[in-house]
Amino acid sequence: MPAERISKVLAEAGIASRRGSDALIGAGRVTVDGRPATLGERVDPVAQAIAVDGRPIGVPVTRPLHLAVHKPIGVTSTVRDRHAARTVLELVGPDVDAARLFPVGRLDRDSEGLILLTNDGDWAERVLHPRYGVEREYAVAVDRPLEPAAAAALEHGIPLEEGVATLRGLRPQTRTETRALAELVSPPIDPRLVWYRAVLAQGWRRQLRRMFGAVGLPVRRLVRVRIGTVRIDDLRSGEVRRLTSVEARRLVGMGHRS
């Protein structure tokens, strides 16, 4: 088998996206024939022993799997976390081989809503990489309505450690949207909360919470309701469904290279 970049081999084996694989390599968690792997090196997965955290990666997966999950509050979105009481992989039913699944991106432990799981590293890369422009839409609950100055600051951009954080499409959530969301989430929605919708094209750590906190409105509840063309729809808290091949292709085909 011809040698390939190790990040591609790991992605095709369902370990992580290519960027996620590079992070694993940089952290020293990947070995090739017993020695630490290096970023960008080319390997032959048939002739060489490749392992992550000491576990052989095995043969590449042959059947891509794409799942939509409604992650509840308190569930960790990482695959392995010895400090987590429950991870998102535990939501997957016994009829699905979860051994090679990994989350496409992250969702904070205290946030909820739509997250994708896959064993398809190249597909995950297209969902995650900013150049493809796959949006994430969120329902954001706060204690009181945004003042005009606070709304303007959020729309203009909030300086954070990583740079200026921006959002799009900031608007009040409609009553119809709130009623529909109330049917899906658990615990029940507090009727005193005020809900907004906002769209992100970037995905910095706890970005919306930090942005709203910067204008004096801590986020009380955060639900991701859409990733690109995939919506939470009728997926209740803790439920999982398979994306159709058409949905999976449409999601990664919606973006464009810049």
Side-chain angles (χ1 to χ4, degrees):
M1 181 174 181
E4 296 181 307
R5 288 176 66 91
I6 189 168
S7 59
K8 181 179 180 183
V9 171
L10 293 175
E12 290 180 345
I15 303 300
S17 68
R18 293 193 191 187
R19 285 196 297 167
S21 297
D22 282 341
L24 292 174
I25 296 165
R29 296 171 59 185
V30 181
T31 59
V32 178
D33 293 333
R35 59 167 178 79
T38 58
L39 290 170
E41 82 168 276
R42 302 182 73 84
V43 296
D44 182 343
V46 174
Q48 295 176 281
I50 303 167
V52 178
D53 294 334
R55 298 180 180 180
I57 67 168
V59 298
V61 296
T62 57
R63 180 173 295 180
L65 181 62
H66 313 98
L67 302 179
V69 180
H70 183 157
K71 186 191 86 66
I73 295 172
V75 173
T76 302
S77 63
T78 51
V79 174
R80 300 181 186 89
D81 187 341
R82 60 190 178 90
H83 300 294
R86 193 179 185 197
T87 71
V88 71
L89 285 186
E90 295 176 47
L91 301 174
V92 177
D95 60 324
V96 175
D97 179 10
R100 296 182 183 275
L101 290 176
F102 59 88
V104 183
R106 299 191 63 165
L107 197 57
D108 297 332
R109 184 177 180 275
D110 50 355
S111 299
E112 57 196 303
L114 187 62
I115 189 167
L116 303 174
L117 299 178
T118 190
N119 56 11
D120 185 343
D122 285 340
W123 184 82
E125 179 72 7
R126 290 183 65 91
V127 174
L128 291 172
H129 201 288
R131 72 173 175 267
Y132 296 108
V134 178
E135 296 178 339
R136 280 79 167 162
E137 183 178 1
Y138 296 82
V140 185
V142 291
D143 287 326
R144 62 184 187 277
L146 283 166
E147 297 289 342
L154 289 169
E155 291 172 337
H156 181 71
I158 300 293
L160 299 177
E161 296 173 10
E162 301 91 334
V164 178
T166 59
L167 52 74
R168 296 199 296 265
L170 180 65
R171 62 173 177 82
Q173 181 168 269
T174 68
R175 290 181 180 179
T176 299
E177 288 171 332
T178 301
R179 284 196 298 268
L181 194 62
E183 293 292 323
L184 303 179
V185 299
S186 180
I189 286 177
D190 185 339
R192 296 169 296 180
L193 294 176
V194 180
W195 289 84
Y196 290 88
R197 289 292 177 99
V199 174
L200 297 182
Q202 61 199 133
W204 294 340
R205 179 185 58 86
R206 299 176 68 85
Q207 181 176 328
L208 283 173
R209 293 183 183 275
R210 293 157 69 196
M211 291 179 72
F212 274 77
V215 298
L217 268 182
V219 171
R220 299 306 182 192
R221 200 154 180 180
L222 186 65
V223 186
R224 186 156 61 196
V225 297
R226 179 173 64 88
I227 300 175
T229 52
V230 178
R231 297 181 177 276
I232 201 167
D233 287 336
D234 297 327
L235 202 62
R236 296 179 182 272
S237 183
E239 291 184 344
V240 180
R241 74 171 181 87
R242 297 187 187 219
L243 299 186
T244 66
S245 58
V246 172
E247 286 179 301
R249 290 196 302 269
R250 183 183 297 134
L251 175 58
V252 295
M254 69 169 293
H256 59 84
R257 294 178 183 271
S258 57

